[in-house]
Amino acid sequence: MRADRLVAALLLMQARRRVTASELAGELEVSVATARRDLEALSAAGIPVYPQPGHGGGWSLLGGARTDLSGLTAAEAQALFLLAGPAASTAPEVRSALRKLVRALPGTFRADAEAAAKAVVVDPVRWGEQERERPPLVELLQTATVRRLKVRLVYTGRRRERTDRLVDPWGLIDKDDVWYLLAGTEGGQRTFRVDRIAEAVVTDLPAERPADFELSQAWQRVVDEVERQRSLVCATVLIEARYLPVLRARFGRHCDVLDMLDDGRARARLTAPTPLMIAQDLAGWGAQIEVVESEEVRAELARIGAELTARYAKPTIRSK
């Protein structure tokens, strides 16, 4: 995880007077581009890390090598520990790195830095749910990604068909406890759900990755396309303003409030892949929601209402 790498990068620059992006990449087992982005991120965050161009150059902490990280201000040290602290609650490696960094800090900073590291705990388990475990394949795929080795997958598609794939692993994403693998294939970039991977074998073949590949940007493009596909149908509805939070909680980013009316109702736009999917979510609201635009959604609501009437409007015959 990135917080672990940032701490490790700082410790490495303290141990060596100067470090290049290539050296850092080798130590952290990441690409040179990723190492360079991490160094730039440290600098952009205000940590006194700066590059020295030319022969014998590299990246250094302001003030050069020393026995402590006195180049960090108190605020910078706290910011770094607030970043890495939540990860330490679930990752022993991060806890170890933070302990080492605490020892390297000036004494006047240590108390605040330790307090910052313990100020936030991330608990990903919802109320009433059991603790979630990371899928076993994630670690294997992560290793293949870091070492840049091709992976042979047996993948189960949506229609339950299985296919064999040889892919270049580019990165892993955890989205609401569902893991995805972004990988290069003969057909270009593809997204694989990890829970649909029946088998995975890391090969000895070197994997290829575009020089300008940035995982966060690539994933954002995937998200944008998925959300676009989920917004093919639009309906405009009227609802009492007090019920807006419930409607927005149900539709999420697919609910846009357009304006508030004088009668206390709000006008909102809802989107979904099909008219039926909107109608199914609105049917339980009864007359509390009025669909004013989208004849397709209104027709689906009418059909659902007719089905319910046909089934439940008949008098119940009780057995004696």
Side-chain angles (χ1 to χ4, degrees):
M1 58 186 65
R2 196 180 193 196
D4 194 5
R5 295 202 314 267
L6 296 179
V7 172
L10 283 172
L11 292 173
L12 189 63
M13 281 187 287
Q14 175 194 302
R16 304 178 184 179
R17 291 182 176 273
R18 190 174 293 110
V19 63
T20 66
S22 178
E23 291 170 345
L24 184 61
E27 291 285 346
L28 303 183
E29 296 185 338
V30 296
S31 69
V32 174
T34 296
R36 186 177 295 111
R37 283 191 294 269
D38 284 349
L39 291 166
E40 291 170 350
L42 287 171
S43 179
I47 295 174
V49 175
Y50 68 98
Q52 291 182 326
H55 180 70
W59 290 75
S60 304
L61 279 169
L62 186 63
R66 59 186 85 195
T67 57
D68 58 40
L69 292 178
S70 56
L72 292 174
T73 66
E76 290 164 349
Q78 289 179 38
L80 181 61
F81 275 75
L82 281 170
L83 174 67
S89 63
T90 56
E93 297 84 359
V94 180
R95 286 198 297 271
S96 175
L98 290 181
R99 284 195 298 268
K100 294 176 182 177
L101 184 54
V102 165
R103 291 196 295 267
L105 286 170
T108 54
F109 291 177
R110 289 176 188 169
D112 288 344
E114 288 181 313
K118 299 175 182 177
V120 178
V121 170
V122 176
D123 184 356
V125 182
R126 296 181 181 179
W127 295 111
E129 291 186 355
Q130 294 182 345
E131 185 176 354
R132 302 173 183 177
E133 296 183 359
R134 176 185 288 193
L137 283 179
V138 168
E139 185 174 351
L140 181 145
L141 294 171
Q142 188 176 46
T143 299
T145 302
V146 171
R147 296 182 178 177
R148 293 203 171 193
L149 296 174
K150 290 181 182 290
V151 178
R152 192 172 299 280
L153 304 178
V154 176
Y155 191 70
T156 305
R158 292 183 179 178
R159 298 179 180 178
R160 311 306 300 172
E161 75 283 3
R162 287 194 172 189
T163 56
D164 293 327
R165 315 280 187 100
L166 183 64
V167 305
D168 297 321
W170 291 348
L172 288 155
I173 299 94
D174 177 6
K175 185 174 179 63
D176 194 24
D177 210 39
V178 178
W179 285 84
Y180 298 87
L181 170 69
L182 254 62
T185 70
E186 292 182 353
Q189 178 181 307
R190 293 291 183 271
T191 305
F192 301 95
R193 278 185 60 139
V194 173
D195 58 6
R196 290 182 181 169
I197 299 176
E199 298 177 24
V201 177
V202 180
T203 72
D204 294 328
L205 302 173
E208 298 179 359
R209 183 186 303 170
D212 58 349
F213 178 78
E214 172 61 49
L215 181 59
S216 60
Q217 295 176 2
W219 177 246
Q220 187 59 53
R221 289 192 290 270
V222 172
V223 171
D224 291 343
E225 176 58 23
V226 171
E227 296 295 357
R228 187 188 69 80
Q229 293 293 331
R230 297 177 64 185
S231 305
L232 298 178
V233 176
C234 173
T236 303
V237 303
L238 298 179
I239 182 174
E240 289 187 43
R242 58 177 174 163
Y243 296 130
L244 265 179
V246 181
L247 187 68
R248 299 178 83 169
R250 178 64 189 87
F251 281 87
R253 65 190 295 177
H254 298 285
C255 174
D256 292 324
V257 179
L258 301 178
D259 53 29
M260 307 298 293
L261 306 183
D262 294 336
D263 62 2
R265 293 188 297 174
R267 193 159 60 99
R269 178 185 294 115
L270 307 177
T271 57
T274 67
L276 176 60
M277 293 181 71
I278 296 180
Q280 287 174 330
D281 280 326
L282 299 184
W285 288 79
Q288 290 179 312
I289 288 184
E290 178 185 355
V291 178
V292 294
E293 291 183 16
S294 180
E295 290 302 321
E296 295 86 354
V297 174
R298 291 166 64 94
E300 290 289 356
L301 282 169
R303 183 184 60 78
I304 293 173
E307 289 180 353
L308 293 174
T309 300
R311 171 161 294 187
Y312 299 108
K314 297 177 181 180
T316 303
I317 301 176
R318 299 182 180 275
S319 59
K320 295 182 179 181

